[in-house]
Amino acid sequence: MQAIYDLVRDVPDFPRPGIMFKDITPLLADANAFAECIRALCDPWRGKGIGAVCGIESRGFIFGAAMAQSLNAGFVPLRKAGKLPPPVVGMDYGLEYGLDRLEIGTEALKPGERVLIVDDVLATGGTLDAGRRLVERLGAEVVGASVAIELRGLDGRARWVSDAPLHALVSY
Ligand SMILES: O=P(O)(O)OC[C@H]1O[C@H](OP(=O)(O)OP(=O)(O)O)[C@H](O)[C@@H]1O
Ligand SMILES: Nc1ncnc2[nH]cnc12
């Protein structure tokens, strides 16, 4: 896990003054560390009957798609506004450095389907909360969530009001 810490770069004042941005691109560029990261993210979910991994645009796609393959599950994108063709349902939310909207195709998940939600970073938790609500709106079952990085100081975990587990690989 130390390799993962070593490969996440701190970028001060990006994308806004006062934000310490966690840059995952050095981690993604390292084949062994990225593979180890995907393995470790998937381990808690093996044998748990995950039918679909919902990855959150855009960095959540990188981890989510690789995890879906490893878990032998489908991949369903939760996309930013206006990117998915209709019909969609959407949700506005706030994140550490702005406001945004996530959407999902109304036919993308079956009622009762067992879903894992994946993102790269948990900061204030607004994004993950919006993702959970959208999946539940479609009647699917949120089995849990995984993030590569948790920023504990922003207490995003408090926004995860589900009983389903929320796993973080590394935390700061
Ligand atoms: O916990 P929160 O405060 O909600 O912040 C976490 C979200 O912020 C980033 O997404 P961003 O909207 O910057 O999109 P990107 O992945 O396209 O860079 C990150 O990828 C998470 O999705
Ligand atoms: N500090 C941060 N670094 C990287 N991604 C983020 N998303 C929200 N806050 C972030």
Side-chain angles (χ1 to χ4, degrees):
M1 221 49 63
Q2 189 55 43
I4 294 171
Y5 281 100
D6 292 345
L7 288 166
V8 174
R9 187 173 70 108
D10 277 350
V11 185
D13 298 319
F14 180 85
R16 306 218 191 300
I19 303 292
M20 180 62 79
F21 188 81
K22 296 289 183 191
D23 177 20
I24 55 164
T25 58
L27 167 62
L28 301 176
D30 184 306
N32 290 331
F34 185 32
E36 173 55 28
C37 187
I38 296 301
R39 245 192 319 275
L41 281 165
C42 286
D43 278 348
W45 306 111
R46 296 193 195 285
K48 296 282 193 321
I50 303 295
V53 174
C54 281
I56 300 181
E57 185 170 0
S58 59
R59 283 173 272 154
F61 289 177
I62 300 166
F63 294 94
M67 288 176 68
Q69 286 283 291
S70 179
L71 292 170
N72 197 27
F75 179 78
V76 172
L78 290 165
R79 296 215 63 181
K80 301 286 170 70
K83 300 288 187 181
L84 284 170
V88 299
V89 286
M91 181 89 50
D92 296 315
Y93 65 94
L95 71 155
E96 190 186 4
Y97 39 69
L99 298 172
D100 221 323
R101 182 176 176 81
L102 275 181
E103 294 178 345
I104 188 170
T106 55
E107 308 294 321
L109 296 170
K110 298 181 212 61
E113 188 165 7
R114 290 172 63 76
V115 171
L116 171 65
I117 303 176
V118 172
D119 207 351
D120 64 328
V121 172
L122 176 71
T124 64
T127 307
L128 202 64
D129 178 58
R132 182 187 58 76
R133 287 166 186 260
L134 281 176
V135 169
E136 289 179 349
R137 277 251 290 269
L138 265 52
E141 181 188 353
V142 176
V143 177
S146 279
V147 296
I149 295 170
E150 177 176 3
L151 304 179
R152 280 198 312 270
L154 294 169
D155 205 19
R157 194 170 277 276
R159 297 274 303 268
W160 181 254
V161 294
S162 168
D163 288 337
L166 163 58
H167 291 300
L169 200 54
V170 298
S171 71
Y172 295 86

